[in-house]
Amino acid sequence: MVLLLLGFALIHSGGAALRSRAEVRIGARAWRLIFAALSIPSAVVVIGYFLAHRYDGIRLWNLQGVPGMVPAVWSITAISFLFLYPATYNLLEIPAVLKPQVRLYATGIIRISRHPQAVGQILWCLSHALWIGSSFMLMTCAGLIGHHLFAIWHGDRRQRARFGDAFETLRSETSVLPFAAVLDGRQQLVWQELFRPAQLGIAIAVGVFWWAHRFIPAGGMAFLQSRLGELLN
């Protein structure tokens, strides 16, 4: 699992590092399509392997029968999605239907955290580690969180190189730790900015994922029985 996560991190973060130079040579749309063609399959492999092996290793705890655990896990997971998927605000740029652009955001969820995806990933790991409780799950969480901590440094470095003083201004007015800039007075929440049409899509996605969880055992078994699953095992 660690090797798969490392491979995905190299593709994803490596592709992000190459973006500015690649776009000059082949254009923003072509690079986004190449980036997606590499990143999405590697993510699918990681997810498939995770689903098939999530209870492997030592079962360190089992809280699944604790009263209130199910709504707690789903509540934390739902909140994590609000942080994980701010890219859905520009959904048509993901498949390059619209020209992909790099922007500095200073509103909405960025007022809470400058790196919302890292916050969302940590929350997702927390909820799923509570539910699964296996040593495999903890190792997966360590890899995912480690990648996102690197992405905080890497993302700030790329934004500083691209936007210069404008990014330094944004950095001084925001925080990585959620609500830290709000609490120390550098930032002010504007709740109206958090209610956007894209949030409805995220809410629908949470519902779809909740419904689809019933197919996880079958999906995990299908991955184990596939040629790729046999190769990785």
Side-chain angles (χ1 to χ4, degrees), residues 117-165:
Q117 289 183 321
V119 175
Q121 187 64 79
I122 292 171
L123 290 173
W124 184 92
C125 285
L126 172 62
S127 65
H128 286 71
L130 282 174
W131 183 254
I132 294 174
S134 67
S135 56
F136 176 89
M137 184 68 218
L138 290 187
M139 185 59 66
T140 301
C141 289
L144 288 170
I145 293 173
H147 177 210
H148 280 77
L149 291 177
F150 169 79
I152 290 173
W153 170 82
H154 192 232
D156 281 356
R157 180 174 177 271
R158 289 185 286 110
Q159 297 288 58
R160 184 181 297 108
R162 181 182 287 264
F163 295 105
D165 290 342

Side-chain angles (χ1 to χ4, degrees), residues 32 86-95 103 105 196:
R32 175 55 63 91
T88 55
Y89 293 162
N90 302 295
L91 188 60
L92 293 180
E93 293 184 16
I94 296 175
R103 303 173 179 84
Y105 288 101
R196 303 181 58 172

Side-chain angles (χ1 to χ4, degrees), residues 22-228:
E23 287 183 343
V24 171
R25 289 171 171 78
I26 65 175
R29 282 191 170 94
W31 175 246
R32 175 55 63 91
L33 293 174
I34 292 173
F35 180 71
L38 295 173
S39 294
I40 293 174
S42 62
V44 170
V45 172
V46 170
I47 293 170
Y49 191 85
F50 167 74
L51 294 179
H53 295 277
R54 63 197 185 282
Y55 285 106
D56 282 8
I58 302 170
R59 192 72 181 274
L60 300 173
W61 59 78
N62 184 2
L63 305 178
Q64 294 183 6
V66 175
M69 183 56 60
V70 171
V73 166
W74 272 107
S75 296
I76 298 171
T77 301
I79 294 171
S80 78
F81 273 47
L82 296 176
F83 284 91
L84 272 169
Y85 295 108
T88 55
Y89 293 162
N90 302 295
L91 188 60
L92 293 180
E93 293 184 16
I94 296 175
V97 174
L98 297 179
K99 182 180 178 180
Q101 301 180 52
V102 178
R103 303 173 179 84
L104 278 183
Y105 288 101
T107 59
I109 202 165
I110 302 301
R111 295 182 187 273
I112 299 175
S113 172
R114 190 169 68 253
H115 288 279
Q117 289 183 321
V119 175
Q121 187 64 79
I122 292 171
L123 290 173
W124 184 92
C125 285
L126 172 62
S127 65
H128 286 71
L130 282 174
W131 183 254
I132 294 174
S134 67
S135 56
F136 176 89
M137 184 68 218
L138 290 187
M139 185 59 66
T140 301
C141 289
L144 288 170
I145 293 173
H147 177 210
H148 280 77
L149 291 177
F150 169 79
I152 290 173
W153 170 82
H154 192 232
D156 281 356
R157 180 174 177 271
R158 289 185 286 110
Q159 297 288 58
R160 184 181 297 108
R162 181 182 287 264
F163 295 105
D165 290 342
F167 170 76
E168 290 299 332
T169 299
L170 175 68
R171 187 179 68 84
S172 68
E173 296 174 350
T174 57
S175 62
V176 175
L177 188 67
F179 295 103
V182 176
L183 294 174
D184 64 21
R186 288 178 291 148
Q187 192 56 258
Q188 183 177 0
L189 285 181
V190 181
W191 293 107
Q192 295 88 334
E193 294 176 355
L194 298 176
F195 296 98
R196 303 181 58 172
Q199 301 290 10
L200 177 60
I202 295 174
I204 293 173
V206 171
V208 170
F209 285 135
W210 174 82
W211 173 80
H213 267 62
R214 68 193 69 190
F215 301 112
I216 285 179
M221 186 59 64
F223 182 87
L224 286 173
Q225 294 175 350
S226 68
R227 296 290 293 273
L228 179 60

